[in-house]
Amino acid sequence: MAEWKVEPVGGVFGARVQEIDLRGPLGDGERKDLYELLLEHLVLVFPGQRIDDGHQMDLLSSWGRPYIHPIGRTAGAVEAKVERIVDDEDRPPYQDKWHTDVTWDPDAPIVGSLRAIEMPARGGDTIFASMYAAYDGLSEVLRDRLEGMTAWHDMGPGQSFISKAGAELVDRTREQFPGTGRPVIAVHPDTGRPYLNVNKNFTSHLLGFDRVESDAVLDYLYEHATQPNYTIRYEWAEGDVIVWDERCTQHFAVADHYPQRREMARLTVSAPV
């Protein structure tokens, strides 16, 4: 393990990594060490970094394929890029919902990253929740009953997508990417640990249940998964970088800064071929 300073940022998960400069070239061993830290802590915070889009792309590309959102693919995009998420008076925040990114894509991201470019005077934190902890907090009886269940994930009503991309493009995306089934209890491919695998924003229903039964079970799981005991909350400063494991976490972008401006650089990667 490289000589970095690693310290917890929460009681359950998350770590701050210091004495590392993400602008410098990282060797294969260092990239492997960082990925091992990610698997252990789920969320890694790199304070005070001054990286650009190229550095962010270089960091994540070693762990997967740079991801193009289904809306971008439907619009004809063929090359991934570091995207901007800008909130201001004319562009209200839309990420203030608990979610795991794009779980309705069969080839969803496995690692996500954000870089703080411009932050408001106050507010605009991000909250993360551990789905390992959510699974561990279920009773053994409920865990056993959830084993083998499948939930359908889709893009939902898509109002935030429509506001950003327009109804016509969203409708075409919905046709090309109608959704996918995912196990309610999933197993992480790298750690072998089980985790709770539903999120309120993109999980539609449980297969094989009527709607009333499905809603009752899912509503309980949504509430359970995001309780404060399983979360960390990060207060950003400009230059900070956060990398997280998309598979076994959820996140929520707090929108209390609106209408102040907040600009983030986002890049995710999907599993290597």
Side-chain angles (χ1 to χ4, degrees):
M1 184 71 68
E3 294 300 319
W4 304 315
K5 182 179 179 182
V6 181
E7 56 186 10
V9 297
V12 175
F13 69 109
R16 182 181 292 106
V17 184
Q18 300 186 88
E19 300 178 12
I20 180 174
D21 186 348
L22 296 179
R23 294 174 299 180
L26 294 173
D28 291 344
E30 291 173 308
R31 294 171 187 270
K32 181 178 183 295
D33 288 346
L34 280 177
Y35 190 68
E36 292 297 324
L37 283 176
L38 181 64
L39 294 178
E40 178 182 357
H41 296 286
L42 313 189
V43 175
L44 299 180
V45 177
F46 303 89
Q49 300 287 325
R50 298 297 174 184
I51 66 172
D52 59 23
D53 289 359
H55 298 124
Q56 192 168 354
M57 179 71 74
D58 181 66
L59 175 64
L60 259 70
S61 294
S62 60
W63 302 326
R65 293 173 291 127
Y67 181 76
I68 304 173
H69 194 280
I71 291 177
R73 278 179 267 168
T74 302
V78 294
E79 184 176 353
K81 63 181 181 178
V82 179
E83 300 173 325
R84 294 295 187 271
I85 302 175
V86 178
D87 304 331
D88 57 24
E89 188 170 2
D90 297 325
R91 291 166 289 191
Y94 65 96
Q95 303 275 0
D96 54 335
K97 302 175 181 66
W98 280 110
H99 65 286
T100 302
D101 288 328
V102 210
T103 54
W104 43 278
D105 181 355
D107 187 24
I110 64 168
V111 177
S113 68
L114 282 173
R115 177 175 104 244
I117 295 176
E118 182 178 345
M119 296 305 297
R122 57 189 176 276
D125 298 354
T126 300
I127 312 174
F128 294 89
S130 167
M131 296 302 99
Y132 286 153
Y135 172 83
D136 291 343
L138 295 170
S139 70
E140 187 173 350
V141 171
L142 184 51
R143 287 184 212 163
D144 289 344
R145 290 182 178 177
L146 294 174
E147 284 287 349
M149 289 188 186
T150 300
W152 185 257
H153 294 238
D154 60 32
M155 66 190 305
Q159 291 305 314
S160 60
F161 297 130
I162 292 171
S163 69
K164 299 293 181 180
E168 188 271 337
L169 180 55
V170 169
D171 286 344
R172 286 199 288 124
T173 303
R174 200 186 303 275
E175 290 178 4
Q176 293 188 38
F177 299 87
T180 190
R182 295 191 177 276
V184 173
I185 303 299
V187 175
H188 196 291
D190 293 326
T191 68
R193 291 185 61 182
Y195 61 92
L196 186 59
N197 191 32
V198 297
N199 71 90
K200 190 172 184 177
N201 207 29
F202 297 133
T203 304
S204 169
H205 59 278
L206 297 173
L207 299 183
F209 288 71
D210 68 32
R211 178 61 72 170
V212 173
E213 293 173 332
S214 173
D215 288 350
V217 174
L218 288 174
D219 285 347
Y220 171 78
L221 294 178
Y222 300 149
E223 184 78 14
H224 170 80
T226 55
Q227 61 177 278
N229 289 340
Y230 307 148
T231 68
I232 55 174
R233 179 167 178 153
Y234 189 73
E235 181 179 352
W236 294 89
E238 290 176 7
D240 291 351
V241 175
I242 292 184
V243 177
W244 67 94
D245 191 324
E246 289 273 16
R247 294 158 289 193
C248 51
T249 62
Q250 295 189 38
H251 55 279
F252 184 110
V254 181
D256 57 346
H257 58 288
Y258 179 74
Q260 297 179 81
R261 181 180 172 86
R262 178 183 187 266
E263 181 176 352
M264 311 294 283
R266 175 179 63 190
L267 178 67
T268 61
V269 294
S270 56
V273 176

